[in-house]
Amino acid sequence: MGARLDRLATESTRVLHDRRVPRSRANIDHLVVTPAGVWVIDSKRYQGRRPSLQVEGGLFRPRVEHLTVGGRKKPTLVAGVQRQLELVRATVSAPVFGALCFVDADWPLFGGSFTVNGIHVLWPRNLEALLRKSAGSTPVEATTQLLERRFMPA
C-alpha cells in the first residue's frame, strides 16, 4: 500500500508512512496531504473476506452503521481511525478525512466501496482515484511539516 501511495506523491500531494501516535504504542499507517486536506489511511489485509456495511434501525429507532468483514462486526477498526482523525484534527487546521483501505479483500465487480460513520471503506485503486480528485486550498507543504513534527516516524 505504501508503494502505491508513494507513486501519487507530487508537489501538491505529500505522503507520510507509519507515524507514531504521541504517548502511545499506536501508529498511523499513512497520512496523505492533498490540496483538499489530510487523509488518514489505515491499511488492512483481510484476504478473501468481503467488507460490507450493515445498517440497523432507521424509521423508529436510531440508525446505527456497522462495518463487517466476512460477516463479523469490526467496530474497533472504525473506532481506531476515528481516534486517529481526532489527533490529526487537533494538529492541523485543514479538513481531515479517514479511510480504511482493504488490500486483497473480496470486493464485488461493481460498487462495493461505502462510508461507515464518516470513514471511507474501499480498496487501493479506488483510494488512489479518490486522492487524485482532491481539489482545494490546503497549504500542502506547511501542513506536511506540522504533521511531521507532531507524528514522528515509528
Side-chain angles (χ1 to χ4, degrees):
M1 188 67 225
R4 288 184 87 127
L5 292 173
D6 282 340
R7 289 194 299 263
L8 297 175
T10 64
E11 293 261 335
S12 64
T13 301
R14 297 282 193 255
V15 180
L16 303 173
H17 304 288
D18 198 20
R19 296 301 183 157
R20 225 176 323 144
V21 173
R23 296 176 299 283
S24 168
R25 294 186 331 170
N27 76 309
I28 298 174
D29 288 346
H30 311 281
L31 292 167
V32 179
V33 184
T34 70
V38 179
W39 285 85
V40 176
I41 302 165
D42 196 2
S43 299
K44 296 296 177 195
R45 179 177 229 120
Y46 282 83
Q47 194 165 5
R49 291 186 270 169
R50 180 170 292 183
S52 61
L53 175 64
Q54 179 184 3
V55 179
E56 297 174 350
L59 197 55
F60 298 107
R61 294 183 302 152
R63 177 186 165 103
V64 179
E65 299 177 341
H66 300 283
L67 168 66
T68 64
V69 181
R72 294 186 175 188
K73 289 181 183 176
K74 298 289 185 179
T76 57
L77 296 180
V78 174
V81 175
Q82 288 172 327
R83 280 191 300 277
Q84 293 172 8
L85 288 172
E86 290 171 15
L87 293 168
V88 173
R89 285 184 178 130
T91 303
V92 299
S93 59
V96 181
F97 312 98
L100 272 164
C101 187
F102 286 88
V103 179
D104 294 334
D106 176 31
W107 290 100
L109 290 176
F110 298 101
S113 64
F114 55 92
T115 60
V116 59
N117 299 327
I119 307 295
H120 295 267
V121 180
L122 33 64
W123 59 95
R125 185 176 292 152
N126 198 315
L127 176 62
E128 287 178 41
L130 194 59
L131 292 173
R132 287 189 178 154
K133 290 181 187 175
S134 296
S137 59
T138 297
V140 173
E141 191 59 38
T143 302
T144 302
Q145 289 173 4
L146 277 172
L147 292 168
E148 286 176 324
R149 284 194 298 271
R150 174 81 167 128
F151 302 101
M152 304 303 286

